[in-house]
Short mmCIF file of all heavy atoms in Angstrom, two decimals:
data_model
loop_
_atom_site.label_atom_id
_atom_site.label_comp_id
_atom_site.label_asym_id
_atom_site.label_seq_id
_atom_site.Cartn_x
_atom_site.Cartn_y
_atom_site.Cartn_z
N LEU K 1156 -8.23 20.51 16.40
CA LEU K 1156 -8.08 19.76 15.16
C LEU K 1156 -8.81 20.47 14.03
O LEU K 1156 -9.89 21.05 14.24
CB LEU K 1156 -8.66 18.35 15.34
CG LEU K 1156 -7.79 17.38 16.14
CD1 LEU K 1156 -8.57 16.12 16.46
CD2 LEU K 1156 -6.53 17.05 15.36
N LEU K 1163 -10.46 9.80 17.85
CA LEU K 1163 -11.25 8.98 18.76
C LEU K 1163 -10.28 8.24 19.70
O LEU K 1163 -9.86 7.10 19.41
CB LEU K 1163 -12.10 7.98 17.96
CG LEU K 1163 -12.91 8.56 16.79
CD1 LEU K 1163 -13.61 7.45 16.01
CD2 LEU K 1163 -13.93 9.57 17.30
N VAL K 1183 1.37 -9.81 7.29
CA VAL K 1183 2.81 -9.70 6.98
C VAL K 1183 3.40 -11.06 6.58
O VAL K 1183 4.31 -11.12 5.75
CB VAL K 1183 3.55 -9.07 8.18
CG1 VAL K 1183 5.05 -9.20 8.05
CG2 VAL K 1183 3.15 -7.60 8.32
N PRO K 1187 4.89 -9.63 2.85
CA PRO K 1187 5.93 -9.10 3.75
C PRO K 1187 6.09 -7.59 3.68
O PRO K 1187 5.86 -6.97 2.63
CB PRO K 1187 7.21 -9.77 3.24
CG PRO K 1187 6.80 -10.82 2.28
CD PRO K 1187 5.41 -10.54 1.83
N CYS K 1257 -6.10 -1.23 2.62
CA CYS K 1257 -5.63 -0.93 3.96
C CYS K 1257 -4.12 -0.94 3.93
O CYS K 1257 -3.49 -2.00 3.77
CB CYS K 1257 -6.16 -1.93 4.97
SG CYS K 1257 -5.57 -1.59 6.65
N ASN K 1260 1.53 0.48 7.91
CA ASN K 1260 2.83 1.16 8.08
C ASN K 1260 3.49 0.65 9.35
O ASN K 1260 2.85 0.63 10.41
CB ASN K 1260 2.62 2.67 8.27
CG ASN K 1260 2.17 3.37 7.01
OD1 ASN K 1260 2.70 3.12 5.93
ND2 ASN K 1260 1.19 4.26 7.14
N GLY K 1313 -4.67 2.04 20.08
CA GLY K 1313 -6.12 1.94 20.18
C GLY K 1313 -6.85 3.19 19.72
O GLY K 1313 -8.07 3.19 19.60
N GLY K 1319 -11.54 13.08 7.12
CA GLY K 1319 -12.64 13.08 6.16
C GLY K 1319 -13.25 14.46 5.99
O GLY K 1319 -12.73 15.47 6.48
N ASP K 1330 5.75 13.01 13.28
CA ASP K 1330 7.04 13.63 13.60
C ASP K 1330 7.96 12.72 14.38
O ASP K 1330 9.17 12.78 14.24
CB ASP K 1330 6.83 14.92 14.42
CG ASP K 1330 6.28 16.05 13.58
OD1 ASP K 1330 6.38 15.96 12.33
OD2 ASP K 1330 5.74 17.01 14.15
N THR K 1336 6.43 3.21 25.13
CA THR K 1336 5.22 3.73 25.76
C THR K 1336 4.07 2.73 25.70
O THR K 1336 3.01 2.97 26.27
CB THR K 1336 4.78 5.06 25.12
OG1 THR K 1336 4.80 4.93 23.70
CG2 THR K 1336 5.73 6.19 25.51
N SER K 1337 4.24 1.61 24.99
CA SER K 1337 3.19 0.59 24.93
C SER K 1337 3.84 -0.78 25.03
O SER K 1337 4.95 -0.99 24.57
CB SER K 1337 2.44 0.71 23.60
OG SER K 1337 1.67 -0.47 23.37
N ARG K 1351 -8.79 2.85 3.25
CA ARG K 1351 -9.06 3.84 2.21
C ARG K 1351 -10.04 3.31 1.15
O ARG K 1351 -9.93 2.16 0.74
CB ARG K 1351 -7.77 4.17 1.45
CG ARG K 1351 -6.69 4.83 2.27
CD ARG K 1351 -5.40 4.06 2.25
NE ARG K 1351 -4.39 4.68 3.12
CZ ARG K 1351 -3.49 5.54 2.67
NH1 ARG K 1351 -3.44 5.85 1.40
NH2 ARG K 1351 -2.62 6.08 3.49
N ASN K 1357 -20.09 2.65 -7.04
CA ASN K 1357 -20.95 2.48 -8.21
C ASN K 1357 -22.19 3.34 -8.05
O ASN K 1357 -22.78 3.39 -6.98
CB ASN K 1357 -21.38 1.01 -8.35
CG ASN K 1357 -20.21 0.17 -8.81
OD1 ASN K 1357 -19.29 0.67 -9.45
ND2 ASN K 1357 -20.24 -1.10 -8.46
N ALA K 1361 -30.87 4.74 -9.99
CA ALA K 1361 -31.62 6.00 -9.94
C ALA K 1361 -30.74 7.18 -10.35
O ALA K 1361 -31.24 8.15 -10.92
CB ALA K 1361 -32.16 6.23 -8.55
N PRO K 1364 -28.12 8.44 -15.69
CA PRO K 1364 -28.97 9.21 -16.61
C PRO K 1364 -29.62 8.31 -17.66
O PRO K 1364 -29.09 7.29 -18.02
CB PRO K 1364 -28.01 10.18 -17.29
CG PRO K 1364 -26.65 9.91 -16.78
CD PRO K 1364 -26.70 8.78 -15.80
#
Side-chain angles (χ1 to χ4, degrees):
L1156 284 170
L1163 311 175
V1183 168
C1257 179
N1260 290 316
D1330 288 342
T1336 48
S1337 165
R1351 296 123 183 266
N1357 288 334

